[in-house]
Amino acid sequence: MKSSLPSKILYSSGVIFDVARWVILIAVILALVNTFWLTLFFVDGVSMETNMHDGELALLQKNGYAGKSEPARGDIVVVQYPGDPEHRRYVKRVVGLPGEALSVSAGRVLVNNKEIDEDYLPVDVTTEPAGSWTIGPNEYFLMGDNRFASNDSRYFGSVEKRFFLGKVLAVVFPRLRSADDL
């Protein structure tokens, strides 16, 4: 008895079955990667301009600071807003590290009384308001690159590492750029 081609395709281990099996396998792998390692994140707002723009799609390394890995000055991170961790996410840059004394004076950022090099900012950007902060253990001082339009640690204080969702690796849309270039 000869089986027809359509019944072979539909009911045996034909093309549709093989394609479906691969689609399911790829979907499971992507779900695992998204859950544990990498995810896409939409930038919402202008606080990181000129380096990241509203609506851009960024690649976020989840658990980028798990274990012994620690955020470094200049890293771009996504954090849960400490005042509303379930609903608000911020993209900010790490400016101050645990145990440091940070101050803003004459438009410049000083860490332990030394001006830091913020080569990721345009030359004419100044930082306001003036103030002084002591960063606690396991806390980080975060600022947006668009200092005049950023709700950041100058207003809500240092952020504990437990609120970090991950490290931005790259902007993937509308144009591909590494976080090292931001």
Side-chain angles (χ1 to χ4, degrees), residues 14-83:
V15 174
I16 291 177
F17 179 77
D18 287 342
V19 169
R21 184 172 39 188
W22 280 106
V23 167
I24 291 169
L25 179 64
I26 290 169
V28 168
I29 289 170
L30 288 175
L32 289 171
V33 167
N34 184 59
T35 301
F36 297 108
W37 294 289
L38 301 170
T39 192
L40 296 173
F41 180 84
F42 278 102
V43 177
D44 183 21
V46 297
S47 72
M48 286 299 291
E49 288 184 357
T50 61
N51 293 307
M52 296 179 78
H53 300 279
D54 186 40
E56 286 186 326
L57 190 60
L59 182 63
L60 178 69
Q61 178 185 3
K62 292 181 169 189
N63 302 320
Y65 302 113
K68 296 179 182 180
S69 179
E70 295 294 327
R73 190 178 335 277
D75 284 357
I76 299 174
V77 297
V78 175
V79 297
Q80 297 170 311
Y81 174 63

Side-chain angles (χ1 to χ4, degrees), residues 25-178:
L25 179 64
I26 290 169
V28 168
I29 289 170
L30 288 175
L32 289 171
V33 167
N34 184 59
T35 301
F36 297 108
W37 294 289
L38 301 170
T39 192
L40 296 173
F41 180 84
F42 278 102
V43 177
D44 183 21
V46 297
S47 72
M48 286 299 291
E49 288 184 357
T50 61
N51 293 307
M52 296 179 78
H53 300 279
D54 186 40
E56 286 186 326
L57 190 60
L59 182 63
L60 178 69
Q61 178 185 3
K62 292 181 169 189
N63 302 320
Y65 302 113
K68 296 179 182 180
S69 179
E70 295 294 327
R73 190 178 335 277
D75 284 357
I76 299 174
V77 297
V78 175
V79 297
Q80 297 170 311
Y81 174 63
D84 188 9
E86 294 301 315
H87 300 101
R88 297 182 79 183
R89 310 284 189 262
Y90 284 170
V91 180
K92 301 294 176 199
R93 191 175 296 271
V94 176
V95 177
L97 304 173
E100 293 181 332
L102 187 137
S103 61
V104 174
S105 178
R108 299 288 169 226
V109 177
L110 299 119
V111 172
N112 299 329
N113 295 317
K114 294 181 182 174
E115 184 175 349
I116 62 171
D117 180 25
E118 294 187 284
D119 59 351
Y120 43 81
L121 295 178
V123 178
D124 60 340
V125 170
T126 59
T127 303
E128 302 294 337
S132 296
W133 300 267
T134 300
I135 305 167
N138 211 32
E139 292 181 343
Y140 297 84
F141 201 88
L142 309 175
M143 286 190 203
D145 290 352
N146 184 359
R147 300 288 163 85
F148 294 107
S150 179
N151 183 19
D152 53 38
S153 290
R154 294 171 291 166
Y155 305 104
F156 55 71
S158 299
V159 177
E160 292 178 42
K161 185 179 171 185
R162 68 185 173 105
F163 289 106
F164 282 46
L165 296 175
K167 177 181 179 179
V168 174
L169 297 177
V171 171
V172 294
F173 184 81
R175 54 195 168 117
L176 183 62
R177 293 175 288 147
S178 166

